[in-house]
Amino acid sequence: MDNRPIGIFDSGVGGLTVARAIIDQLPHENITYIGDTAHSPYGTKPIEDVRRYSMDIMGKLVNSGVKMLVIACNSATSAALADARQRFELEMGIPVVEVIRPAVRRAVRTTKNGKVGVIATQATINSGSYQDSFTAAPQIELTTKACPKFVELVEEGITAGAQAQAVAEEYLADFRDADVDTLVLGCTHYPLLSGVISYTMGSGVALVSSADETARDVYRELATRDLFADRAEPTREFFATGNPKGFGQLARRFLGPIVGQTRSAKELLS
């Protein structure tokens, strides 16, 4: 048994979709979540900056005593996964779980016509992370597109209505033209727009979010390493590097009372 928390981070509220899936599948685990709202969004920033922010956040989580790191952000995964695995997993024994390969696995299993779309941030698309991950399935015809306005909508709390619909129509026309039957939501913010995305793409297109698959990877890592927590009442702490009050209000709007009180990330090591 290991009651140390699982450390999860994202540039903002999007990673809470991953945290929610982990809590659903592993309800007895303790959680420490950081939203790096001081630097959000990651997807429009140079990859070197995203790597630096990500490694700093993960270092803070490790120093606070977590037993696992979950990079609940596609842009951060693209920028920092290799460095994180070297520093924290290989050198320090802290397992690192990410969100890209779980989504690719699900998409390959889901598609019927072999035509898959990926929507993501500019940083993720530019990194080629999804393109590289799909090379193991050469039968897949892949269409990708950066959709930065989707993150802006979510961070502003806009997940439905005319504005969201107009942005979805702008971004998703290429995927309809490409006849994709499976669309990967390659940013953890995007599941919060799944209603408008699904409406725009049509009922015949399956949406793939990495959240559930990532939570399964977390479960497998805990089982393999015998790191499960005991069945005591779990502790779930949420921190923001920017304004914790604003982050907390938006997070509770999307995910409800599991978020609880949010605090400044400066308190994490105090």
Side-chain angles (χ1 to χ4, degrees):
M1 295 293 179
D2 190 329
N3 287 329
R4 290 178 297 167
I6 297 169
I8 308 170
F9 88 96
D10 178 50
S11 63
V13 298
L16 291 168
T17 58
V18 177
R20 171 81 266 181
I22 292 171
I23 289 169
D24 287 345
Q25 294 187 33
L26 292 156
H28 300 292
E29 293 294 331
N30 299 306
I31 300 293
T32 300
Y33 182 100
I34 296 181
D36 190 15
T37 52
H39 300 115
S40 181
Y42 280 0
T44 58
K45 291 181 170 59
I47 195 167
E48 295 82 4
D49 290 346
V50 175
R51 182 182 297 114
R52 185 173 72 255
Y53 301 148
S54 300
M55 295 300 289
D56 180 63
I57 292 290
M58 285 186 277
K60 286 181 168 61
L61 285 167
V62 169
N63 289 337
S64 75
V66 301
K67 64 183 176 183
M68 172 185 285
L69 291 165
V70 180
I71 308 176
C73 174
N74 288 261
S75 298
T77 297
S78 299
L81 179 60
D83 288 348
R85 288 240 160 100
Q86 177 64 39
R87 181 184 304 178
F88 303 116
E89 189 164 311
L90 296 180
E91 297 178 9
M92 303 177 68
I94 304 294
V96 178
V97 175
E98 47 87 24
V99 290
I100 290 178
R101 281 179 289 182
V104 170
R105 289 199 306 266
R106 171 65 70 86
V108 171
R109 290 199 305 265
T110 300
T111 183
K112 293 180 173 61
N113 69 2
K115 297 179 180 180
V116 174
V118 175
I119 54 175
T121 66
Q122 193 68 60
T124 298
I125 296 298
N126 289 349
S127 75
S129 297
Y130 273 98
Q131 297 90 321
D132 291 345
S133 295
F134 272 104
T135 57
Q139 75 278 14
I140 298 298
E141 182 180 328
L142 192 64
T143 303
T144 66
K145 190 180 186 71
C147 303
K149 294 178 186 176
F150 278 160
V151 173
E152 296 172 14
L153 289 173
V154 170
E155 292 290 341
E156 293 171 12
I158 301 169
T159 57
Q163 184 178 356
Q165 186 64 49
V167 173
E169 293 285 350
E170 173 191 346
Y171 283 149
L172 301 177
D174 290 346
F175 297 97
R176 293 199 302 263
D177 292 343
D179 194 32
V180 303
D181 73 346
T182 302
L183 183 66
V184 176
L185 307 182
C187 171
T188 50
H189 284 68
Y190 295 176
L192 298 168
L193 291 164
S194 58
V196 68
I197 292 172
S198 181
Y199 178 79
T200 304
M201 290 301 299
S203 59
V205 175
L207 303 186
V208 171
S209 166
S210 60
D212 288 340
E213 287 293 317
T214 299
R216 292 187 183 98
D217 279 6
V218 170
Y219 188 103
R220 282 190 286 269
E221 286 288 342
L222 294 179
T224 299
R225 298 168 185 261
D226 193 25
L227 292 176
F228 288 121
D230 62 30
R231 299 182 67 84
E233 187 69 24
T235 299
R236 294 157 185 164
E237 296 184 300
F238 297 86
F239 300 88
T241 59
N243 176 10
K245 182 177 180 181
F247 169 77
Q249 289 173 341
L250 189 56
R252 283 188 291 275
R253 174 179 171 181
F254 289 137
L255 295 185
I258 67 163
V259 175
Q261 182 181 3
T262 55
R263 293 180 284 158
S264 170
K266 294 178 181 178
E267 298 181 33
L268 188 60
L269 297 177
S270 62

